[in-house]
């Protein structure tokens, strides 16, 4: 039977509150000593907090207690890799993929461990396995391009890098690789443009990482989330903007102003369907706020939505008459 405290752990993790999850896990383990599911969850939480050493200790103990669940411990491989313990990481990833042969992320970790240990050929073989399992894994394609470039296989590297770029054009690493490959191929103007795009995205990625680290300890801080939103919007990254807006609204669902921010951000980025959905959400919460209905009327007029305009202007007129 799952202890009732696990519900608090799950709620905290869903809310993105890693410190609260960790506190709940400690409370549970004080009562149910070395409860394996709690140890596994604690290892994952420590990893998300970038406490890789602590995560490794906890997950190693979990693996000792339930060796038949070794396939659940991919994160232990990530810990060891992040700590620069590449040979240990490789050995652990090998155990994980033996138990979970469809775990593409474990294969990716295994590939990079081989690469760090000097075996580029094996790394490329394993990255192809990752891509076979998960063809849209842009990071696998990017690392494949990086290794092919390092091996002097420029044309193959270019193909892989372009594929990675097409999967996620806002990932900075792929533009770094593209710039180097294009430069090596003598395509100077394209290489310069790629390098400039890398610089822009790398600055944004560093800013986003700093904010994400702060949000681990304050997951409902709307000011931090709005700063993160601005970072992603500046680079035109609609996918990450959508994800950040979901976090922003979830941080305080009853705050009408946050729904207005969502509408404006999606509208600015040209996400017609997303903005339309955000407008409906805002309309459902507008109540008797004149400012919100005026906001909606401006949006509906601009987008040529006659019915929406009529609804919003009717409310504006009623509220003005009071």
């Amino acid at each position: 039977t799952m202890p009732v405290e696990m519900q608090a752990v799950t709620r905290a993790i869903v809310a993105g509150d890693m410190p609260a999850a960790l506190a709940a896990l400690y409370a549970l383990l004080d009562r149910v000593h070395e409860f394996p599911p709690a140890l596994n969850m604690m290892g994952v939480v420590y990893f998300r907090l970038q406490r890789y050493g602590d995560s490794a200790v906890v997950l190693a103990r979990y693996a000792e207690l339930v060796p038949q669940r070794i396939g659940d411990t991919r994160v232990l491989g990530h810990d060891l890799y992040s700590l620069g313990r590449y040979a240990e990481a490789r050995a652990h990833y090998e155990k994980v993929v033996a138990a979970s042969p469809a775990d593409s992320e474990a294969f990716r970790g295994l590939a990079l461990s081989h690469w760090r240990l000097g075996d580029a050929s094996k790394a490329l073989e394993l990255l192809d396995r990752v891509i076979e399992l998960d063809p849209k894994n842009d990071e696998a394609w990017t690392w494949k391009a990086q290794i092919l470039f390092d091996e002097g296989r420029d044309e193959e590297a270019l193909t892989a890098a372009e594929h990675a770029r097409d999967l996620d054009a806002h990932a900075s690493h792929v533009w770094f690789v593209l710039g180097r490959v294009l430069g090596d191929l003598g395509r100077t103007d394209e290489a310069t443009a790629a390098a400039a795009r890398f610089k822009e995205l790398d600055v944004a990625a560093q800013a986003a990482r700093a904010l994400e680290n702060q949000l681990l300890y304050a997951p409902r801080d709307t000011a931090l989330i709005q700063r993160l939103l601005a970072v992603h919007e500046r680079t035109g990254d609609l996918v990450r903007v959508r994800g950040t807006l979901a976090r922003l609204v979830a941080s305080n669902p009853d705050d009408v102003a946050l729904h207005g921010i969502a509408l404006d951000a999606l509208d600015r980025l040209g996400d017609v369907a997303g903005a339309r959905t955000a407008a409906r959400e805002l309309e459902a919460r507008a109540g008797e706020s004149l400012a919100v209905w005026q906001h909606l009327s401006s949006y509906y007029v601009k987008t040529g939505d006659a019915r929406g305009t009529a609804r919003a202007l009717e409310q504006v007129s009623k509220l003005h008459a009071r």
Side-chain angles (χ1 to χ4, degrees):
T1 304
M2 192 67 68
V4 67
E5 292 94 337
M6 286 297 283
Q7 296 177 13
V9 175
T10 302
R11 284 196 300 271
I13 290 175
V14 169
D17 192 339
M18 297 301 106
L22 200 55
L25 285 163
Y26 270 114
L28 170 56
L29 288 167
D30 278 343
R31 188 174 71 80
V32 188
H33 187 57
E34 292 197 322
F35 182 55
L39 288 173
N40 189 23
M41 194 77 77
M42 180 176 278
V44 172
V45 170
Y46 271 136
F47 178 80
R48 291 181 63 178
L49 289 169
Q50 299 177 38
R51 293 172 59 176
Y52 305 123
D54 292 328
S55 178
V57 169
V58 172
L59 289 173
R61 182 56 183 156
Y62 171 79
E64 289 175 5
L65 290 171
V66 281
Q68 70 275 18
R69 303 293 301 180
I70 196 72
D72 296 343
T73 61
R74 176 213 311 150
V75 171
L76 176 52
H78 294 347
D79 289 325
L80 296 167
Y81 183 90
S82 298
L83 291 166
R85 294 157 59 178
Y86 303 124
E88 293 172 77
R90 178 183 62 188
H92 188 74
Y93 283 129
E94 286 171 347
K95 294 176 184 177
V96 173
V97 299
S100 301
D103 189 335
S104 62
E105 285 304 293
F107 272 109
R108 185 167 67 90
L110 180 57
L112 294 180
S113 297
H114 275 283
W115 178 57
R116 294 289 187 183
L117 292 165
D119 192 345
S121 178
K122 186 65 176 178
L124 288 169
E125 176 189 326
L126 289 164
L127 285 171
D128 282 339
R129 175 62 176 152
V130 176
I131 290 165
E132 180 183 338
L133 290 167
D134 181 10
K136 293 185 178 181
N137 192 316
D138 61 283
E139 292 188 25
W141 281 103
T142 301
W143 281 112
K144 180 176 180 178
Q146 174 78 65
I147 296 170
L148 287 167
F149 173 75
D150 290 346
E151 294 296 294
R153 296 160 63 178
D154 288 353
E155 291 292 347
E156 293 172 86
L158 180 61
T159 298
E162 289 177 335
H163 196 88
R165 178 204 57 200
D166 292 344
L167 289 169
D168 185 357
H170 293 89
S172 61
H173 185 193
V174 68
W175 288 99
F176 173 76
V177 178
L178 268 172
R180 296 183 70 194
V181 174
L182 290 165
D184 224 34
L185 291 170
R187 294 163 62 173
T188 307
D189 290 346
E190 292 169 89
T192 300
R197 184 59 170 159
F198 162 70
K199 184 175 181 180
E200 176 189 14
L201 291 173
D202 188 53
V203 168
Q206 291 182 48
R209 279 194 296 271
L211 290 165
E212 291 283 11
N213 287 340
Q214 293 179 66
L215 283 164
L216 286 171
Y217 296 91
R220 294 185 179 277
D221 188 323
T222 57
L224 286 175
I225 301 173
Q226 287 184 66
R227 286 168 60 191
L228 182 62
L229 173 65
V231 169
H232 293 316
E233 191 176 345
R234 279 197 298 272
T235 63
D237 190 341
L238 182 56
V239 171
R240 291 176 178 84
V241 162
R242 286 172 175 164
T244 307
L245 285 172
R247 291 170 68 176
L248 180 63
V249 171
S251 70
N252 190 352
D254 296 327
D255 188 337
V256 177
L258 300 183
H259 291 273
I261 289 170
L263 170 59
D264 291 344
L266 294 169
D267 185 37
R268 283 193 298 269
L269 288 179
D271 182 2
V272 175
R276 189 180 299 122
T277 299
R280 287 196 294 267
E281 292 288 336
L282 182 59
E283 195 170 331
R285 292 167 170 78
E288 296 186 350
S289 171
L290 176 60
V292 172
W293 284 110
Q294 288 174 327
H295 187 171
L296 283 164
S297 67
S298 295
Y299 165 74
Y300 286 134
V301 167
K302 186 183 78 168
T303 57
D305 184 336
R307 291 183 179 179
T309 300
R311 288 195 307 273
L313 289 177
E314 180 183 2
Q315 292 298 322
V316 169
S317 178
K318 286 181 180 178
L319 291 167
H320 267 306
R322 292 185 179 181

